Amino acid sequence: MKTIAYACLLAAALLIGCRSEEVQISAQEALKTVAVADLSMTDLYDTRGILKVGNSFVALASDGEFNAVSINLQSGEQRPFFPCRLSDDDYMFSLMSFNSTDGRTVTALDYQNGRLIETTLSGEESRSIAPAEEHVISLPAGQQHLIAAKGSSFVIATGLYNKGRYLYYDLNDQTARYFLDYPGHEDYPDMLTRTKAVLYASNILRIRPDESAFVCADMYSGLIDFCRIIGSSVERIRMVRLRHPIVDIEEKPGINVAYYRSNPLGFADVAVSQERVYALYSGRSVEEYGNDASMGDILLVYDWEGNLLQSYQLDIPLLNIAYDSEKNAVYGLSVSDENKLTRLNFSAL
């Protein structure tokens, strides 16, 4: 079995196009979290993404009948949405890739059927958090879409694509264009494109609020990709690699990518503001932490050029994070004991 010596975040490999250079990560500053809401009595199970807007907390979390729930933090009122059953023969279980670019329009990907499910949350002034009816956006057929985020007139997605790592799907004329190569791996320099797609299939994708850029962070390695959107094109700004995943790869007779249990996981979640990218990093292995490896207690703060501005050691591990533009604050979901919504206590954002 392959082994590597791992010193968490002491150094990172920074890739800019074909150029690679070593950079140093600054010492991690301690960052405390403050509990702001007890969610232990709410119907949260298998949470796969959160949104925080003012007094509303929204989570992609299945309860058997619905895939998501919105909660009024003042009244405690809960409203489920994204039903698992749309009609007699139309089901959508295990939605992924929970996203909102504007804080009101919420999407999740039904990856089994290649479609985005979209709804709009009502405003605070209505004192109701009931979402509108769902709208279905079908993504290009014949492709396996795995992660997607919607802008006002386009969708950015990743999946098992042969033409490029990122899909830009124009919703106005329903045209699809593919951009950029997949990352490689130092131990497997001659991988097929399809193998690379499988290796880097699990990601978190967030669009900048002004829709000029997006970030894509891998959940199984220390890879985070900063890209800009120009017209209907995608360009890479910077790819930052903290480490390569510990894997065993075979391409014959078929593609098989197996992660070792000793592989430190990558990014647990990402939240974005207009100025910053907040990346929650795990660095924990399933071998050592079991299911808790999916949580992160290291927060890396980048600008949109991919420059690391600060690294923090959190006082508790978090499962998900979200940026609330109304409060100008980053919030996290802690599930170590009970479900608690916490605020990250930055001195300034």
Side-chain angles (χ1 to χ4, degrees):
M1 180 179 293
K2 301 176 182 178
T3 60
I4 63 171
Y6 181 74
C8 185
L9 298 181
L10 292 180
L14 176 63
L15 304 180
I16 308 176
C18 296
R19 184 166 63 91
S20 176
E21 60 182 275
E22 295 293 326
V23 298
Q24 294 295 319
I25 301 296
S26 60
Q28 297 161 24
E29 179 182 339
L31 181 63
K32 292 185 178 181
T33 58
V34 179
V36 296
D38 183 356
L39 303 174
S40 59
M41 301 303 292
T42 59
D43 299 327
L44 294 181
Y45 175 74
D46 188 25
T47 305
R48 299 181 297 282
I50 64 173
L51 173 67
K52 169 72 168 59
V53 184
N55 293 320
S56 296
F57 172 79
V58 188
L60 190 67
S62 175
D63 69 354
E65 295 185 15
F66 292 88
N67 285 287
V69 61
S70 57
I71 302 169
N72 186 306
L73 296 174
Q74 289 185 326
S75 67
E77 180 186 12
Q78 300 181 46
R79 296 289 181 91
F81 63 102
F82 287 162
C84 295
R85 182 173 178 173
L86 293 178
S87 63
D88 289 343
D89 299 316
D90 194 356
Y91 299 89
M92 55 178 195
F93 297 106
S94 300
L95 295 184
M96 304 296 290
S97 197
F98 194 50
N99 258 296
S100 177
T101 301
D102 59 10
R104 290 193 60 207
T105 303
V106 181
T107 62
L109 179 66
D110 178 11
Y111 67 92
Q112 293 178 322
N113 295 296
R115 58 189 179 178
L116 272 181
I117 312 300
E118 179 184 38
T119 192
T120 301
L121 303 175
S122 60
E124 288 287 321
E125 66 277 2
S126 69
R127 301 193 63 81
S128 170
I129 54 175
E133 293 184 358
E134 287 77 18
H135 172 59
V136 176
I137 301 172
S138 295
L139 298 181
Q143 302 283 358
Q144 179 60 68
H145 310 284
L146 298 175
I147 307 296
K150 178 182 175 295
S152 55
S153 62
F154 65 89
V155 172
I156 295 290
T158 67
L160 302 184
Y161 306 146
N162 293 319
K163 297 180 180 180
R165 188 182 190 198
Y166 298 113
L167 162 69
Y168 182 97
Y169 183 55
D170 191 312
L171 295 173
N172 293 321
D173 58 19
Q174 297 184 341
T175 56
R177 302 178 67 190
Y178 297 84
F179 298 92
L180 304 182
D181 294 332
Y182 291 93
H185 193 292
E186 59 186 0
D187 294 335
Y188 301 92
D190 300 320
M191 278 188 297
L192 300 171
T193 297
R194 186 72 170 184
T195 308
K196 294 177 183 179
V198 173
L199 178 61
Y200 297 105
S202 300
N203 298 280
I204 303 106
L205 197 154
R206 304 282 183 243
I207 297 176
R208 192 176 186 177
D210 68 359
E211 302 185 2
S212 67
F214 67 89
V215 61
C216 183
D218 187 58
M219 300 171 68
Y220 286 91
S221 72
L223 186 75
I224 182 167
D225 206 5
F226 297 84
C227 300
R228 64 171 57 94
I229 302 170
I230 301 178
S232 299
S233 299
V234 172
E235 297 180 359
R236 179 170 283 129
I237 302 171
R238 177 172 291 178
M239 183 187 293
V240 178
R241 188 191 291 276
L242 304 181
R243 58 167 186 79
H244 290 266
I246 308 175
V247 292
D248 184 71
I249 296 175
E250 296 180 358
E251 294 182 316
K252 295 180 179 180
I255 296 174
N256 182 45
V257 176
Y259 287 87
Y260 286 97
R261 288 175 58 84
S262 59
N263 176 60
L265 298 188
F267 293 94
D269 205 354
V270 176
V272 301
S273 69
Q274 181 60 29
E275 304 298 330
R276 298 288 181 262
V277 173
Y278 303 94
L280 180 65
Y281 186 75
S282 167
R284 302 168 165 213
S285 69
V286 173
E287 182 177 68
E288 185 175 359
Y289 287 91
N291 292 335
D292 289 346
S294 61
M295 297 187 291
D297 59 1
I298 297 170
L299 187 76
L300 304 178
V301 182
Y302 295 93
D303 63 19
W304 279 98
E305 296 298 313
N307 299 307
L308 181 67
L309 304 178
Q310 187 58 274
S311 59
Y312 295 99
Q313 178 69 55
L314 304 181
D315 56 353
I316 57 172
L318 300 175
L319 181 63
N320 298 109
I321 57 173
Y323 173 76
D324 185 344
S325 60
E326 290 189 11
K327 302 292 186 181
N328 188 30
V330 178
Y331 293 81
L333 179 63
S334 169
V335 296
S336 296
D337 297 318
E338 298 287 350
N339 290 333
K340 286 185 174 60
L341 180 65
T342 65
R343 186 183 71 250
L344 278 60
N345 197 21
F346 294 97
S347 57
L349 293 180

